[in-house]
Amino acid sequence: MHTPLCRHATGQPREYAAHAVSLGLTEIGFSDHSPMPQDDFDDWRMRRDQLDAYVESVQAARRDFPQLTIRLALEVDYLPGQEDWIRDLAARHPWDYFIGSVHYVSGGWDIDNPKKLSEWRQRDAYAVWAEYFDWLTQAARSGLFEIIGHADLPKKFGYVPDRDCTSLFRTFLEAAAGSGCAIELNTAGLRKDCREIYPSRRILEMARERGVPITFGSDAHAPAEVGMDFAAALDLARAAGYTKCCRFEQRQRRIVPL
Ligand code: ZN
Ligand code: FE
């Protein structure tokens, strides 16, 4: 879940926590968009000098809601070559987990940015998906992340290749299984043009066959989105054959029954 520091979310962490308590959730996690080495990289993340304030705002929510377990995390952009920066971030605070996400492909294009939709019309969809999954595979192999975020993000606006993507999915999931990296069921996809949880049932079934663990996320960018469509996510997980999911504390995984 996010905070206003990323410049495209609303509500303070304590408001997200209040909504979670009203839903009967017992554990939530904040994973706002991590800073980049250069603050002018883009305009949809916190700046470097806001990281401490971010951590403080999550800790304030913990103090306000002692009955709720609140995890401190980051959604970290994976770009090849940024491994040292990500290790630097990891050393700064007592994180519970890092979600590794790919939003950027080559050419500095963030494929989920609605302001850059025209780029999709100029590129071959399969080539974009192939590059995206190549970078996602590198993220899974890197050992830098507990969870890989919204694994089939390129479907967001409906640009799905005609060509079979099975081998892209397989290579990624084998990397995740090999490094013990989980994937998330992210319900934000239901709120986008694709109208589908990330990842698809097909990918999730392939993940289950390979023993890739799962987590659940609303990717809330507003308090009212906390826990949104979790019943559908649970149904999807069960339909794909999952009976367990995982939680993280201090970057250690614990498996719990669904
Ligand atoms: Zn966001
Ligand atoms: Fe994301």
Side-chain angles (χ1 to χ4, degrees):
M1 306 196 299
H2 295 268
T3 80
L5 291 172
C6 69
R7 293 174 269 178
H8 62 279
T10 55
Q12 289 303 318
R14 60 168 61 86
E15 298 171 72
Y16 289 67
H19 196 72
V21 168
S22 77
L23 293 173
L25 297 178
T26 56
E27 181 171 326
I28 60 171
F30 288 92
S31 51
D32 208 358
H33 298 286
S34 66
M36 284 286 187
Q38 266 87 38
D39 283 334
D40 60 0
F41 184 86
D42 60 25
D43 62 357
W44 52 267
R45 65 188 62 251
M46 70 183 83
R47 297 189 312 262
R48 294 170 56 136
D49 66 0
Q50 292 175 313
L51 190 66
D52 292 354
Y54 166 64
V55 171
E56 174 49 37
S57 71
V58 174
Q59 287 168 343
R62 280 179 174 160
R63 289 192 293 273
D64 290 351
F65 295 90
Q67 71 275 44
L68 181 65
T69 299
I70 302 181
R71 300 300 182 198
L72 174 66
L74 281 175
E75 180 182 6
V76 181
D77 271 78
Y78 178 78
L79 285 93
Q82 287 214 343
E83 291 82 357
D84 286 345
W85 169 245
I86 298 166
R87 275 188 276 269
D88 179 345
L89 287 172
R92 293 193 196 185
H93 291 283
W95 309 108
D96 289 310
Y97 55 91
F98 269 12
I99 300 180
S101 291
V102 173
H103 303 101
Y104 283 91
V105 295
S106 63
W109 172 35
D110 37 351
I111 58 165
D112 63 329
N113 190 335
K115 291 179 205 152
K116 299 184 189 169
L117 249 180
S118 61
E119 194 71 26
W120 273 108
R121 294 182 209 111
Q122 286 159 28
R123 296 215 201 182
D124 171 59
Y126 183 82
V128 178
W129 280 60
E131 187 171 50
Y132 169 89
F133 273 96
D134 178 31
W135 288 21
L136 204 68
T137 301
Q138 293 183 48
R141 264 192 207 124
S142 71
L144 295 167
F145 310 113
E146 280 69 37
I147 305 166
I148 293 295
H150 44 60
D152 58 354
L153 181 67
K155 75 182 175 188
K156 177 176 174 179
F157 300 118
Y159 290 90
V160 178
D162 298 330
R163 260 177 78 180
D164 180 25
C165 291
T166 305
S167 70
L168 306 181
F169 304 156
R170 191 190 305 120
T171 306
F172 159 62
L173 293 167
E174 282 170 2
S179 64
C181 200
I183 58 172
E184 61 160 359
L185 274 75
N186 178 323
T187 61
L190 290 168
R191 314 194 287 273
K192 311 300 182 194
D193 294 346
C194 60
R195 301 258 168 237
E196 192 180 276
I197 288 172
Y198 305 114
S200 65
R201 176 163 176 169
R202 173 92 202 296
I203 294 175
L204 201 59
E205 285 173 348
M206 290 176 66
R208 202 259 312 141
E209 285 164 17
R210 288 161 181 81
V212 177
I214 54 167
T215 62
F216 292 88
S218 62
D219 206 346
H221 283 68
E225 291 175 351
V226 174
M228 200 172 256
D229 295 310
F230 268 23
L234 199 51
D235 285 349
L236 178 62
R238 291 201 170 111
Y242 278 95
T243 57
K244 299 179 180 95
C245 65
C246 57
R247 298 181 180 189
F248 293 93
E249 178 178 8
Q250 293 294 293
R251 310 202 77 170
Q252 297 297 311
R253 183 169 79 198
R254 188 159 54 92
I255 304 285
V256 295
L258 282 186

